[in-house]
Amino acid sequence: MQLLPEPVRRLAAWCVVVLLVAAVGWVGVVLCGEFRMAVTPVLLALLGTALLGPLHRWLVRVKVNRSVAAGLTCVAVVAVVGGAVYIVVAALIDTGDQIVSSLKDAAQSLVEHFGAAGTSLDDLASNAKELLTKFGGTAASNVISGVSVVGETIAMAVLALLLVFFFLRDSQHAVGALRSLAPRGTADTVEAMGRRAFEAVEGFMRGTTIIALIDALCISVGLLVLDVPGAVGLGALVFVGAYIPYLGAFLSGAVAVLVALADRGFVIALWVLGVVLAVQVLEGHVLQPMIQSRTVQMHPAVVMLAITAGASVAGVLGMLLAVPLTAAAFGVAHELRTRYSPAPSGASAPPDS
């Protein structure tokens, strides 16, 4: 190795480090996939704990028993999430026929104005029954698999809720447990890294929730003014979708525009699109810089890459978990850089003890 120039040796060393980190990360992803029934509830519980921690701490400050406070917090989140899901599903069911009708009208309009292209769409619609019959056997064979997935989802949700209760109730013991697991001489560093990671996730979840609430309120008011049916349910859908940055806002906004197109026509749909775009501009240029200014900031390109990677690994669940986990990684990296980066040349070295 001494025959190689110094820059080449440094490059080789960095390549080895990158390969080792990538290998460890790949093994971690594979293990998480194999044990997803245990790993997923833990990750969801950590996100829930980061989001609900302030409420639990407030209840403890007003002299509520820690166990009772954790139970009340879990009951509150079940009520809020269950209510939001019910509103969204009910609104989409009520407007589903209208959306389908509007899409049929759009296809008929293409038939009238674009000739051959419209004929192709018309032929596709005519052959839909044949296509469904052809693939019906495959769909039927997947029913049992679908039921199994629903069962797994319910089991993971219940386990995550129980873990949230225990994480909230026993949060005062987390630091001691983390220090006891740290290798000798690294307890302070591990504690600082853990605190910074959790603060980053907590800040992200808190900021995202506030932004999602403002987005949902603004879009709901706009939809009510435009007399779009299911405005409250669509606002709830916007709130839920905001936890998947960029993509969630796009999907929930698209649903709102489709509902407006189905019931109120093309002009009102354009107004709804304008409202959605205005709210997104407000979020990107005002709300996020102001509300999340004290948390870990990530470039939009990093967020999009994280969402893409999460979707490729674990689908929708991966998209939900990717950004807060990336925020935690950024928090740990910032802590390590603060601790181990060389001091500025003009700074005096700390005195020896």
Side-chain angles (χ1 to χ4, degrees):
M1 290 294 291
Q2 296 298 329
L3 298 177
L4 297 175
E6 179 67 19
V8 176
R9 293 201 299 270
R10 289 184 178 180
L11 177 61
W14 276 109
C15 289
V16 171
V17 171
V18 170
L19 289 175
L20 287 175
V21 171
V24 172
W26 180 78
V27 171
V29 170
V30 171
L31 291 177
C32 289
E34 292 293 329
F35 298 101
R36 64 183 182 279
M37 287 292 293
V39 174
T40 301
V42 173
L43 296 177
L44 291 176
L46 288 175
L47 296 185
T49 303
L51 179 61
L52 302 172
L55 175 59
H56 179 261
R57 290 193 293 269
W58 177 79
L59 290 174
V60 172
R61 283 198 300 269
V62 297
K63 308 303 181 182
V64 178
N65 180 271
R66 294 190 67 90
S67 298
V68 176
L72 291 175
T73 304
C74 292
V75 170
V77 73
V78 169
V80 171
V81 172
V85 171
Y86 173 79
I87 292 174
V88 170
V89 172
L92 292 181
I93 290 176
D94 291 341
T95 57
D97 293 338
Q98 296 173 340
I99 294 174
V100 173
S101 177
S102 68
L103 293 178
K104 289 180 179 179
D105 293 341
Q108 184 63 34
S109 177
L110 287 176
V111 172
E112 296 175 356
H113 292 89
F114 294 98
T119 303
S120 299
L121 289 174
D122 189 56
D123 292 340
L124 181 60
S126 301
N127 296 329
K129 184 175 181 179
E130 180 182 349
L131 292 173
L132 289 175
T133 302
K134 180 178 179 181
F135 294 103
T138 303
S141 65
N142 290 330
V143 170
I144 297 178
S145 177
V147 172
S148 176
V149 170
V150 171
E152 289 183 0
T153 303
I154 294 175
M156 287 191 294
V158 172
L159 179 57
L161 185 63
L162 292 175
L163 289 175
V164 167
F165 171 81
F166 290 119
F167 288 171
L168 289 173
R169 190 192 67 176
D170 301 327
S171 57
Q172 76 275 18
H173 303 307
V175 174
L178 190 63
R179 293 182 68 91
S180 66
L181 295 174
R184 181 178 302 177
T186 63
D188 292 339
T189 302
V190 172
E191 178 185 347
M193 291 168 56
R195 287 184 182 277
R196 182 61 67 95
F198 189 77
E199 288 171 0
V201 175
E202 188 175 40
F204 171 82
M205 295 297 294
R206 182 174 60 249
T208 301
T209 301
I210 295 174
I211 292 172
L213 186 61
I214 295 175
D215 286 355
L217 181 62
C218 292
I219 290 180
S220 296
V221 171
L223 295 177
L224 287 172
V225 171
L226 295 171
D227 196 23
V228 176
V232 177
L234 293 171
L237 182 63
V238 170
F239 178 82
V240 174
Y243 285 95
I244 303 177
Y246 304 115
L247 184 60
F250 171 77
L251 294 177
S252 58
V255 172
V257 172
L258 283 175
V259 172
L261 179 65
D263 188 78
R264 303 282 288 140
F266 183 73
V267 175
I268 298 298
L270 287 180
W271 277 102
V272 172
L273 179 61
V275 170
V276 172
L277 292 178
V279 170
Q280 294 307 313
V281 170
L282 175 67
E283 173 189 334
H285 292 82
V286 179
L287 296 179
Q288 284 188 347
M290 181 176 64
I291 294 176
Q292 293 187 333
S293 59
R294 297 184 179 181
T295 62
V296 175
Q297 296 295 306
M298 293 180 291
H299 193 276
V302 175
V303 174
M304 294 302 296
L305 288 175
I307 293 174
T308 304
S312 64
V313 172
V316 176
L317 184 62
M319 296 166 62
L320 176 64
L321 296 174
V323 180
L325 292 180
T326 304
F330 269 62
V332 171
H334 179 75
E335 180 64 29
L336 292 176
R337 185 169 60 250
T338 302
R339 283 177 168 264
Y340 297 110
S341 60
S345 56
S348 58
D352 296 334
S353 55

